[in-house]
Amino acid sequence: MGFLAFGINHKTAAVDLRERVAFAPEQLADALRRLRDETMTQEVAILSTCNRTEIYCSQDHPDAERLLNWFAGFHGMTLEELRGCSYLHSDAGAVTHMMRVAAGLDSMVLGEPQILGQMKDAWQSARTAGTLGPYLDRLFQSTFNTAKQVRTDTAIGENPVSVAFAAVSLSRQIFSDLKRSTALLIGAGETIALVARHLFEQGVGRIIVANRTLERAELLSEPLGGQAILLNQIPDFLAQCDIVISSTASPLPILGKGAVERALKQRRHKPMFMVDIAVPRDIEPEVGGLADVYLYTVDDLHEVIEDNLRSRQDAAEAAERLIDLGTQEFMQRLRALAAVDVLRRYRVKAEAMRDQELAKAQARLERGADASVVMAEMARALTNKLLHDPSVQLKQMSAEGRAEALALAQELFALDDVTTTQGES
């Protein structure tokens, strides 16, 4: 059984092309079944995210060209176009690739954790569609176990490497219990949306979103159980806020020193944590000079991120070693499974020979033949039948000069310590 991993990702193709080859959730089950049936693939799964589309499959005789043709046809691409932006891994290389993807080592943000959940979704989709199968299932389970070990035994995901996550992580250093904290988010763009999601996942007590248009603020705040306000309402709510994170496109500061001073008096100088992600800045620099205010700019965050990226790079080296080990262990188990299948088929064959000779012996005993003679002849006949096919094959191999096969047979039958005698029995 061989494995193939084929795909297109953020390293090989721009976003417009990645959009073309993505599989929508509603078409995934049909695509999986078509891919299995039209390429004569035994088992198949598809991982489709904003940054990658990948196909994982197992085949008795891996046929990459058939897979490429199907993918190109399904998405209306030419083979030349596809080859220019795709990659293909086989067998141990496919195993290593899947494990690297699941561990976040192949992600746009090194070590990002979401990809493991997306990989599990791909496994579940294939299982639901009936295209998973025992071999690919074992590969997915080994992939999940290795990715989990990478998360547990290395620091690959411990330190934030995005502006949004870094801002939230710093807030936790100031307020250890975010459940008691209120966060004011100024703006409603992508960065603030990520900040809001991270704060929500960290269990922040309350979220207030301030924006130039109330509709955008409501769109962001309502799913998180937050409150939406307009920018001109910020002074009315500022004193309630422990955390202020701002990212707008305003050419002028939105939050001035005077407004923060008034809020601090109302808070009786309870600390405020502020992060200004905007360029140009949303919060007047003078605010940073106020007592009880911890103000960070986007430059401060980038310094944190650079340090954390270096830390993740060190962790990635340890992760690669774990993945190498995971690949080796899986391939060893796969080879053992192949041996089990051969042994099973040989046992079925041997048992059929045994039953045949046993039936002959029983028939002779029923006719009154001597039991010791019948047993001896049954043993001789069964031995000859068991040795016939291996003997024919070994003679053929010897005639062909295949010395390595003869040496393997010597080891297979454990003949090193067996002495031979002249003559025939």
Side-chain angles (χ1 to χ4, degrees):
M1 181 63 67
F3 292 100
L4 289 175
F6 160 79
I8 292 171
N9 67 14
H10 61 280
K11 298 177 184 177
T12 65
V15 64
D16 56 340
L17 195 148
R18 298 201 306 273
E19 288 174 344
R20 284 177 58 192
V21 300
F23 291 87
E26 62 272 13
Q27 69 178 164
L28 191 55
D30 179 61
L32 283 165
R33 296 187 189 102
R34 284 181 54 186
L35 175 57
R36 178 194 59 192
D37 298 341
E38 294 171 15
T39 64
M40 294 184 291
T41 298
Q42 280 79 9
E43 308 171 33
V44 63
I46 294 174
L47 171 68
S48 189
T49 74
C50 59
N51 283 330
R52 70 180 65 243
T53 293
E54 296 189 340
I55 293 174
Y56 312 125
C57 63
S58 64
Q59 299 174 331
D60 285 335
H61 305 288
D63 189 340
E65 197 65 21
R66 190 186 297 269
L67 182 64
L68 293 175
N69 275 291
W70 181 88
F71 190 88
F74 188 91
H75 290 293
M77 300 176 66
T78 64
L79 279 176
E80 292 72 20
E81 190 178 16
L82 184 59
R83 287 194 176 98
C85 63
S86 63
Y87 45 87
L88 182 70
H89 304 281
S90 60
D91 297 328
V95 175
T96 297
H97 177 75
M98 282 184 65
M99 291 181 176
R100 293 188 77 254
V101 169
L105 296 182
D106 196 53
S107 297
M108 184 177 292
V109 177
L110 180 65
E112 61 96 1
Q114 287 82 12
I115 187 63
L116 179 56
Q118 293 166 333
M119 184 77 85
K120 290 180 178 179
D121 290 342
W123 167 80
Q124 184 60 57
S125 295
R127 187 181 180 191
T128 301
T131 65
L132 190 60
Y135 286 97
L136 198 56
D137 184 44
R138 287 189 181 96
L139 176 51
F140 268 104
Q141 298 308 320
S142 292
T143 295
F144 298 152
N145 290 336
T146 299
K148 182 179 178 181
Q149 187 178 8
V150 167
R151 293 282 166 190
T152 302
D153 295 353
T154 75
I156 191 70
E158 289 183 4
N159 299 309
V161 291
S162 72
V163 168
F165 196 21
V168 174
S169 298
L170 285 173
S171 69
R172 292 198 61 172
Q173 296 179 22
I174 307 299
F175 304 103
S176 57
D177 186 6
L178 290 182
K179 293 178 182 177
R180 298 171 181 243
S181 301
T182 294
L184 169 64
L185 308 182
I186 305 175
E190 182 179 351
T191 299
I192 288 295
L194 286 172
V195 169
R197 190 183 72 190
H198 289 317
L199 283 169
F200 182 76
E201 291 172 351
Q202 296 295 324
V204 71
R206 182 185 175 200
I207 294 176
I208 301 171
V209 179
N211 192 53
R212 183 174 56 83
T213 61
L214 194 61
E215 184 181 4
R216 287 289 301 277
E218 289 173 342
L219 193 64
L220 177 56
S221 62
E222 284 181 0
L224 307 177
Q227 181 178 359
I229 64 173
L230 292 169
L231 293 180
N232 59 15
Q233 294 178 274
I234 289 176
D236 300 328
F237 288 84
L238 191 56
Q240 304 172 28
C241 303
D242 307 291
I243 301 165
V244 179
I245 302 177
S246 186
S247 179
T248 75
S250 173
L252 298 172
I254 290 173
L255 201 54
K257 181 180 178 183
V260 178
E261 283 180 318
R262 289 189 292 273
L264 285 171
K265 288 180 182 178
Q266 294 178 52
R267 291 171 59 83
R268 297 183 180 178
H269 294 279
K270 182 182 175 182
M272 296 179 74
F273 170 74
M274 297 185 172
V275 180
D276 189 352
I277 303 174
V279 179
R281 286 181 278 190
D282 284 337
I283 303 174
E284 288 184 348
E286 291 78 11
V287 170
L290 295 174
D292 305 313
V293 171
Y294 299 87
L295 175 62
Y296 289 81
T297 67
V298 68
D299 289 341
D300 298 324
L301 293 186
H302 280 305
E303 289 179 13
V304 172
I305 290 168
E306 286 299 321
D307 289 341
N308 291 344
L309 274 173
R310 284 190 288 271
S311 174
R312 285 200 179 192
Q313 290 289 354
D314 293 339
E317 294 179 8
E320 295 285 6
R321 291 191 290 271
L322 289 174
I323 287 170
D324 287 343
L325 182 61
T327 299
Q328 292 172 23
E329 290 177 348
F330 177 78
M331 296 305 292
Q332 287 171 357
R333 288 197 297 272
L334 191 65
R335 287 190 289 269
L337 284 173
V340 167
D341 182 58
V342 171
L343 288 171
R344 180 187 58 78
R345 286 186 288 157
Y346 187 66
R347 177 177 290 276
V348 169
K349 182 178 180 179
E351 288 177 346
M353 295 176 185
R354 176 203 64 195
D355 293 344
Q356 186 179 29
E357 292 305 318
L358 182 60
K360 291 179 182 178
Q362 288 172 335
R364 293 185 62 194
L365 289 173
E366 289 174 0
R367 292 195 298 269
D370 183 86
S372 60
V373 173
V374 171
M375 291 177 62
E377 289 183 357
M378 183 185 74
R380 185 180 298 108
L382 183 58
T383 300
N384 288 337
K385 281 192 172 184
L386 288 172
L387 291 177
H388 175 72
D389 287 339
S391 298
V392 171
Q393 295 298 324
L394 282 172
K395 288 177 182 178
Q396 181 66 30
M397 292 175 185
S398 179
E400 295 172 355
R402 296 169 61 183
E404 75 287 351
L406 295 177
L408 182 60
Q410 181 94 357
E411 182 180 352
L412 178 63
F413 294 118
L415 302 179
D416 290 340
D417 299 325
V418 177
T419 56
T420 58
T421 57
Q422 296 292 325
E424 295 180 0
S425 58

